[in-house]
Amino acid sequence: MLETSEADIAYDVQGPLPPAGGRPPLMMIGQPMDATGFRALASHFPDRTVVTYDPRGLGRSVRKDGRVDHTPETQAADVHAVIEAVGAGPVEMFASSGGAVTALALVTAHPGDVTTLVAHEPPVIAVLPDAGAAERARAGFRDAYLARGWGAGMAAFIAMTAWEGEFTDDYFAQPAPDPASYGMPADDDGSRDDPLLSDRSWAISDHRLDADALTRSPTRIVIAVGEETGDAFTARTAVATAELLGQKATVFPSHHGGFLDGEFGYAGQPEAFARKLRETLDTTA
């Protein structure tokens, strides 16, 4: 547990310190996913020292700053502090979803912290040609959550993130999805603090990348996209982010959660995903 004035940050180290074999630690981060989401992926790297953590206010990490919002800059400062606490940096990093946005903010602020970053499907709206429509679609699942609870909000979130291509009039003309059609409960428990469905994490999808700082950074940045994500929201943001940085997105197996096993519902292909991640990290150019 890393205790700071603003939060107590829980992190885990799997493997020896200093790392064996001369390789740096491999850090895996997500948002709003905590360390539990990387169990399957980490199990395929028994030869590496793997570091995971719970973002502040999530999992075991307790906030003391009186805030409930999640911002990439704050999360990046926490990750920087964890890397310093581990004392074996710089690290290699795999970052998923909102964690990929945090990682890009980290490389911008602390370019010496990471040697290679694999940023998997960062959901940054500003890079999209239909950014305004994407913001409207995001507000739609937030509004469904506020009006009818978690099941309605999650059903609307799934519908939004599964939509192929730009958010057109056809998207907004659809009726509200039935939570039962996605196996979601229709009951409303009254809570409105979900970090994914509320607006508490909007700063993540609203984040504007500093392309100049990122391309000047000594960090090797690889933007990754799932082969099954198609032309859906996070595939489009990944491809556009890669283009912003002057590269093509690197295709990984499976979908947005392709490194997950069945513990979290929609299972991916963690073994194949880990092979691709290892191959990508081992590539020096």
Side-chain angles (χ1 to χ4, degrees):
M1 188 70 72
L2 173 62
E3 297 184 4
T4 74
S5 61
E6 294 188 346
D8 294 338
I9 306 297
Y11 67 96
D12 306 286
V13 179
Q14 171 185 300
L17 286 175
R23 292 294 293 271
L26 171 56
M27 191 168 187
M28 301 177 178
I29 69 172
Q31 172 70 33
M33 179 179 289
D34 62 24
T36 59
F38 296 102
R39 287 173 182 158
L41 184 60
S43 72
H44 293 285
F45 289 87
D47 57 322
R48 298 292 301 274
T49 295
V50 176
V51 180
T52 54
Y53 94 120
D54 293 354
R56 67 167 63 191
L58 301 172
R60 302 159 294 168
S61 293
V62 179
R63 300 189 80 145
K64 301 182 290 190
D65 59 358
R67 300 175 67 100
V68 296
D69 59 325
H70 303 282
T71 67
E73 293 81 7
T74 300
Q75 307 287 22
D78 290 341
V79 175
H80 171 69
V82 170
I83 292 171
E84 288 197 324
V86 170
V91 301
E92 293 183 328
M93 182 172 288
F94 170 73
S96 167
S97 194
V101 183
T102 295
L104 291 165
L106 172 68
V107 169
T108 300
H110 302 282
D113 278 2
V114 184
T115 57
T116 296
L117 165 63
V118 179
H120 187 251
E121 299 194 3
V124 281
I125 289 177
V127 298
L128 296 177
D130 59 327
E135 290 173 353
R136 180 183 170 193
R138 179 186 62 179
F141 72 72
R142 185 275 313 272
D143 292 347
Y145 173 59
L146 293 179
R148 303 193 305 279
W150 186 86
M154 183 57 73
F157 172 80
I158 294 172
M160 182 261 192
T161 54
W163 180 262
E164 295 273 330
E166 296 190 7
F167 294 104
T168 61
D169 291 343
D170 287 342
Y171 173 81
F172 296 107
Q174 297 178 110
D178 178 8
S181 66
Y182 294 103
M184 305 294 173
D187 296 339
D188 182 356
D189 66 4
S191 64
R192 295 295 186 272
D193 58 357
D194 188 282
L196 183 65
L197 302 179
S198 67
D199 59 7
R200 295 183 175 191
S201 297
W202 277 19
I204 293 170
S205 48
D206 282 340
H207 184 65
R208 291 185 176 270
L209 301 171
D210 187 336
D212 289 341
L214 291 169
T215 53
R216 290 197 310 267
S217 168
T219 303
R220 173 178 167 246
I221 300 172
V222 178
I223 305 298
V225 64
E227 63 182 351
E228 296 175 18
T229 314
D231 196 31
F233 172 64
T234 54
R236 294 198 299 124
T237 59
V239 169
T241 298
E243 291 175 351
L244 182 70
L245 301 182
Q247 60 178 265
K248 289 187 176 181
T250 298
V251 178
F252 269 59
S254 199
H255 48 70
H256 186 66
F259 54 91
L260 298 170
D261 59 15
E263 180 181 1
F264 294 95
Y266 186 25
Q269 303 172 38
E271 184 175 357
F273 197 100
R275 282 199 302 271
K276 181 64 176 181
L277 178 58
R278 185 182 294 273
E279 171 191 308
T280 304
L281 293 173
D282 288 347
T283 300
T284 57

